[in-house]
C-alpha cells in the first residue's frame, strides 16, 4: 500500500491566479492524489470568507486559512486563533495615524482602512466595510492585517511599533506587508494537521510562492517554491518549479512520482 502523503497548497500564485480556477492539469493532479489515497489541503493567507468558490468547490480534505489562524478538517474546525481586542484597536489607530491602507480580516468578514494608497478594487468589490477604532467590538474575531504603503519609508516607520506583537511578512520593496499573530504561521498549522492524523513532517509536501510560505516549506519533508517566488523562499525550498502559467504544480508533483 502506498504511504499516505499530506499535500499543502497555497492558492494565489501557486494553484491559481486571483479568483480564477486551477488549470485542468492541476485539477487532474489533485484528482490523482485523492484517488491514490493522499490528503490535500488548502493553505492560504486569505481569510476563510475570501476563498473563492473556484477553489472551495474542490473536495479538499481540509483548509488552513488566515495564514494558519484557522484550521478545519473535513468541515470541522480544529483550531482558531484571534488577535486580542486591544491590539487590534491599537493597530487600527496606528494605521489611521500613518495613513497606511489596510484590510483587517476575520474568517467571516473583511474590513478596510483608508490610507495614502487607494483601497484595492478587489476589496471594495467584495462587500467589505470601512472600519475605524471606535467600531471595533470586543468580540471581533480578527485574525490578520494586510497593509499597503505609499513608499517603503512609510512602512518602515510603523514596523517598530508592530514587531513585538505580530509576525510580519514584508515584500521585497517594503510597501506590502502581512501581519499575523505571533506563533501563527502556515508551518505551525501544518504541524497541527499532521498531528491530527498521527503523521510527521517528513510525510508532508508543501507548495507556495510568497514569504508567508517560508515556515511551511522549511518544515515539510518536501518544500516546493513556485518559479515566481522571492529569493528568500527559493533559498529554503527543496524544489523550485515553474510558475502557475508554466503548470509548475502539476510538473513538480508528477516529477516526484505522484
Amino acid at each position: 500500500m502506498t504511504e499516505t502523503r499530506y499535500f499543502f497548497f497555497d492558492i494565489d500564485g501557486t494553484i491559481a491566479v486571483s479568483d480564477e480556477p486551477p488549470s485542468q492539469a492541476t485539477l487532474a493532479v489533485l484528482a490523482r492524489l485523492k484517488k491514490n489515497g493522499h490528503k490535500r489541503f488548502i493553505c492560504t493567507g486569505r481569510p476563510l470568507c475570501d476563498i473563492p468558490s473556484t477553489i472551495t468547490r474542490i473536495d479538499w480534505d481540509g483548509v488552513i486559512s488566515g495564514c494558519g489562524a484557522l484550521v478545519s478538517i473535513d468541515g470541522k474546525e480544529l483550531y482558531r486563533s484571534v488577535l486580542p481586542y486591544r491590539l487590534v484597536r491599537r493597530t487600527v489607530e496606528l494605521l489611521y495615524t500613518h495613513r497606511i491602507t489596510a484590510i483587517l480580516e476575520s474568517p467571516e468578514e473583511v474590513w478596510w482602512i483608508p490610507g495614502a494608497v487607494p483601497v484595492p478594487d478587489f476589496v471594495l468589490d467584495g462587500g467589505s466595510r470601512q472600519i475605524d477604532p471606535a467600531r471595533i467590538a470586543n468580540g471581533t474575531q480578527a485574525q490578520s492585517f494586510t497593509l499597503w504603503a505609499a513608499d517603503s519609508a512609510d512602512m518602515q516607520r510603523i514596523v517598530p511599533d508592530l514587531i513585538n506583537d505580530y509576525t510580519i511578512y514584508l515584500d521585497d520593496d517594503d510597501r506590502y506587508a502581512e501581519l499575523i499573530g505571533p506563533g501563527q504561521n502556515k508551518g505551525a498549522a501544518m504541524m497541527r494537521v499532521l498531528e491530527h492524523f498521527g503523521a510527521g513532517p517528513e510525510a508532508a509536501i508543501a507548495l507556495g510562492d510568497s514569504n508567508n510560505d517560508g515556515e511551511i516549506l522549511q518544515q515539510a519533508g518536501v518544500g516546493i517554491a513556485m518559479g515566481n517566488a522571492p529569493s528568500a523562499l527559493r533559498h529554503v525550498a527543496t524544489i523550485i518549479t515553474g510558475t502557475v502559467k508554466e503548470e509548475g504544480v502539476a510538473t513538480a508533483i508528477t516529477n516526484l512520482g505522484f
Side-chain angles (χ1 to χ4, degrees):
M1 181 179 292
T2 303
E3 179 186 357
T4 300
R5 295 297 182 95
Y6 301 83
F7 289 80
F8 297 83
F9 296 91
D10 174 52
I11 298 176
D12 300 286
T14 300
I15 62 169
V17 176
S18 188
D19 290 349
E20 297 177 8
S23 69
Q24 290 302 310
T26 298
L27 291 172
V29 164
L30 292 173
R32 188 166 73 237
L33 292 176
K34 179 183 179 181
K35 180 180 178 181
N36 292 333
H38 302 296
K39 301 292 186 181
R40 307 150 312 145
F41 304 89
I42 295 172
C43 191
T44 180
R46 290 189 183 218
L48 185 63
C49 65
D50 192 40
I51 300 176
S53 60
T54 53
I55 302 299
T56 58
R57 67 188 179 205
I58 299 169
D59 55 342
W60 302 98
D61 295 288
V63 177
I64 295 170
S65 59
C67 229
L70 183 65
V71 180
S72 62
I73 296 175
D74 292 327
K76 297 180 180 179
E77 193 170 297
L78 177 69
Y79 174 84
R80 177 186 288 238
S81 176
V82 297
L83 299 171
Y85 158 72
R86 293 185 184 278
L87 175 60
V88 173
R89 183 161 183 158
R90 180 171 65 82
T91 303
V92 173
E93 289 172 346
L94 181 72
L95 297 173
Y96 265 92
T97 298
H98 291 275
R99 301 192 67 234
I100 303 294
T101 304
I103 55 176
L104 172 61
E105 300 154 310
S106 81
E108 293 79 28
E109 189 170 359
V110 175
W111 303 272
W112 55 269
I113 298 161
V117 175
V119 178
D121 288 341
F122 73 83
V123 175
L124 299 175
D125 294 343
S128 60
R129 299 179 293 156
Q130 183 176 349
I131 196 166
D132 59 52
R135 293 174 58 194
I136 298 171
N138 198 7
T140 299
Q141 296 285 294
Q143 295 182 324
S144 59
F145 286 87
T146 300
L147 280 53
W148 294 268
D151 58 53
S152 59
D154 288 343
M155 189 72 79
Q156 288 299 331
R157 269 191 287 272
I158 68 168
V159 166
D161 292 319
L162 300 169
I163 195 68
N164 292 327
D165 296 307
Y166 294 98
T167 297
I168 303 177
Y169 298 107
L170 286 164
D171 69 355
D172 290 341
D173 65 7
D174 290 350
R175 294 175 60 189
Y176 172 87
E178 295 174 79
L179 311 180
I180 59 174
Q184 306 302 319
N185 60 63
K186 293 183 178 184
M190 177 189 73
M191 296 304 294
R192 290 185 172 94
V193 171
L194 294 173
E195 181 180 2
H196 175 83
F197 287 100
E202 68 280 356
I205 298 171
L207 301 92
D209 76 309
S210 62
N211 287 328
N212 67 19
D213 295 304
E215 290 90 350
I216 194 169
L217 262 62
Q218 284 183 293
Q219 292 174 247
V222 178
I224 302 172
M226 302 298 288
N228 56 297
S231 58
L233 192 67
R234 297 164 76 94
H235 286 155
V236 302
T238 311
I239 295 169
I240 299 172
T241 188
T243 64
V244 175
K245 291 184 177 180
E246 294 166 341
E247 300 290 3
V249 167
T251 299
I253 292 176
T254 300
N255 287 345
L256 287 171
F258 294 99

